[in-house]
Amino acid sequence: MTGVARTRRLISAIAVAGVALGVWAFAPAAASSQSTSAQQWANGVCSAVQTFGKSVNSTISSLKGSGSLSAASQTATTGLSTALMQLNDSLQKLGKPSTSDGAKAQSAVQNLSNQLSSDITSIQQSLSPPPSSPGDIAATFAQIGSTIQMGVSQTKAAATTLKGLTPNGELQKAFQNSSTCKALKNSL
């Protein structure tokens, strides 16, 4: 298997993990002082995750045209950076859900956002400069795999926090009733 093919498989794994991470935790949100209704917040979060997934998939598709490992690494790095920036920008605009657990929900997803941003930075650093020898490629993939596993653990912790919010509360019901969130779940 060529280095480009390995990079494509790696980026595919990152994309699947990234989208799954976002869905499990309803995606990371950045701090904002404005307040948003529970339904608007749920719709906004799920919409931002959908856009993130599409951006990552577009990045993967563009790797097919890469003629070298270096070009594929650059494409992956740029694509992941752009997707994450768009996700954070979209979610910053949502503010805090106007529910009794709104501040706690916002804090949980803000912490996750910070952690996932750090994970993406680590992956990008692993690909720059791109690995060239078989040993370097194997070590880079192992490091990226560990980073993805850490992201999964971080997301599970955030999801546990969100699931622990007021049972059958307004925010929980908003996610369950959101047509945008239902479409996101169905697309996976």
Side-chain angles (χ1 to χ4, degrees):
M1 178 178 294
T2 67
V4 172
R6 285 185 189 134
T7 301
R8 286 182 190 145
R9 282 186 31 193
L10 169 66
I11 299 305
S12 293
I14 292 168
V16 169
V19 171
L21 293 176
V23 171
W24 285 338
F26 307 121
S32 177
S33 60
Q34 77 180 32
S35 184
T36 306
S37 76
Q39 195 62 55
Q40 287 173 322
W41 202 73
N43 288 334
V45 167
C46 290
S47 177
V49 171
Q50 280 181 320
T51 301
F52 175 73
K54 287 176 185 177
S55 294
V56 171
N57 285 333
S58 176
T59 297
I60 292 168
S61 293
S62 67
L63 292 177
K64 293 175 185 171
S66 299
S68 69
L69 185 57
S70 177
S73 294
Q74 182 59 44
T75 298
T77 299
T78 301
L80 289 171
S81 296
T82 301
L84 184 61
M85 192 174 3
Q86 289 172 343
L87 177 65
N88 283 330
D89 287 348
S90 295
L91 294 171
Q92 277 182 347
K93 294 175 184 172
L94 291 176
K96 177 178 76 172
S98 59
T99 64
S100 61
D101 288 340
K104 193 173 185 179
Q106 185 182 29
S107 177
V109 292
Q110 177 60 47
N111 289 338
L112 178 61
S113 176
N114 293 339
Q115 291 168 336
L116 293 178
S117 292
S118 177
D119 294 344
I120 292 289
T121 298
S122 176
I123 291 168
Q124 291 168 335
Q125 289 172 346
S126 296
L127 294 172
S128 180
S132 55
S133 73
D136 288 346
I137 291 170
T140 299
F141 289 172
Q143 181 181 355
I144 290 172
S146 294
T147 302
I148 290 171
Q149 287 301 318
M150 185 170 39
V152 168
S153 296
Q154 293 161 341
T155 302
K156 286 180 180 179
T160 298
T161 299
L162 291 173
K163 287 177 184 176
L165 299 177
T166 305
N168 294 315
E170 187 178 358
L171 192 55
Q172 187 180 55
K173 288 179 182 177
F175 276 107
Q176 291 170 348
N177 296 327
S178 167
S179 60
T180 306
C181 295
K182 288 177 186 176
L184 175 62
K185 287 179 186 178
N186 290 335
S187 71
L188 297 175

